[in-house]
Amino acid sequence: MTDPKHWPVSITPDNYPEFIGRCSEHIVRKGKDMAGYFLEKPEPGKVIYEVYEAECVGNSCTALTIIKPGRVGREYHMTKGHFHEDAGSGETYFCLKGEGIILMQTRRGESEEIRLGPGCVACIPPGWAHRTVNVGESDFIMVAVFPASAGHDYKSIEKKGFAKRVLEHRGKPRVMQQ
């Protein structure tokens, strides 16, 4: 009999906890894990975001990310961000709940951003690093689909950072050049 974790699945704003139950990996990023990513020092024990990864099936991986609302100083909660180790791998994000912005950049310094709300899909081409930012008042929940061979290069971002940041400006999120 086929393992139920490998059966077809539908992920909706209402049933995503069922998907979480099928995941084999759970990553929790707290302030202590994000030191150096924000302009100011985050509160060490505060949860910034969580990632739930299902076992890759065939050549496709699926993950669900929940970014908590809030800011560190004026900077909105965000993921660490990464390039893919396989430069030919892209990624697709689907927003289930909340409001967010995906910051993207190439190694040559080109940058772009995409705003996401419920039902929005973002296609991140190969060669673009990506970081997601919660700019809303509630959890920002999204599904990511990427090739099993993609890999994650966090070190490049850890060393050089991102070209843009999302900061609170007059009560609203504003994308600003570094």
Side-chain angles (χ1 to χ4, degrees), residues 51-170:
V51 179
Y52 297 87
E53 287 190 22
E55 287 182 33
C56 295
V57 178
N59 63 359
S60 183
C61 294
T62 305
L64 184 133
T65 300
I66 302 171
I67 307 172
K68 299 297 183 184
R71 294 190 307 268
V72 175
R74 291 181 42 227
E75 196 166 10
Y76 289 85
H77 282 181
M78 62 186 172
T79 61
K80 286 184 172 185
H82 63 272
F83 283 98
H84 287 150
E85 291 171 347
D86 172 7
S89 292
E91 191 161 348
T92 302
Y93 286 173
F94 178 80
C95 176
L96 293 177
K97 291 184 174 187
E99 299 174 65
I101 296 174
I102 301 173
L103 300 176
M104 294 166 286
Q105 68 187 39
T106 66
R107 293 187 190 274
R108 292 186 306 270
E110 301 152 317
S111 65
E112 188 62 66
E113 67 266 352
I114 296 175
R115 289 188 172 264
L116 288 176
C120 292
V121 174
C123 298
I124 302 159
W128 289 78
H130 38 286
R131 164 182 283 164
T132 310
V133 184
N134 182 346
V135 296
E137 301 292 323
S138 61
D139 287 351
F140 177 73
I141 304 173
M142 65 174 200
V143 174
V145 179
F146 52 95
S149 62
H152 296 90
D153 169 12
Y154 292 102
K155 293 289 183 195
S156 295
I157 301 304
E158 191 176 341
K159 285 181 186 177
K160 294 184 180 181
F162 256 76
K164 296 180 179 177
R165 293 185 177 272
V166 182
L167 303 173
E168 183 274 326
H169 180 74
R170 296 184 181 166

Side-chain angles (χ1 to χ4, degrees), residues 35-49:
Y37 288 90
F38 290 98
L39 293 171
E40 295 184 25
K41 189 175 180 180
E43 184 181 319
K46 187 171 191 173
V47 174
I48 306 295
Y49 70 99

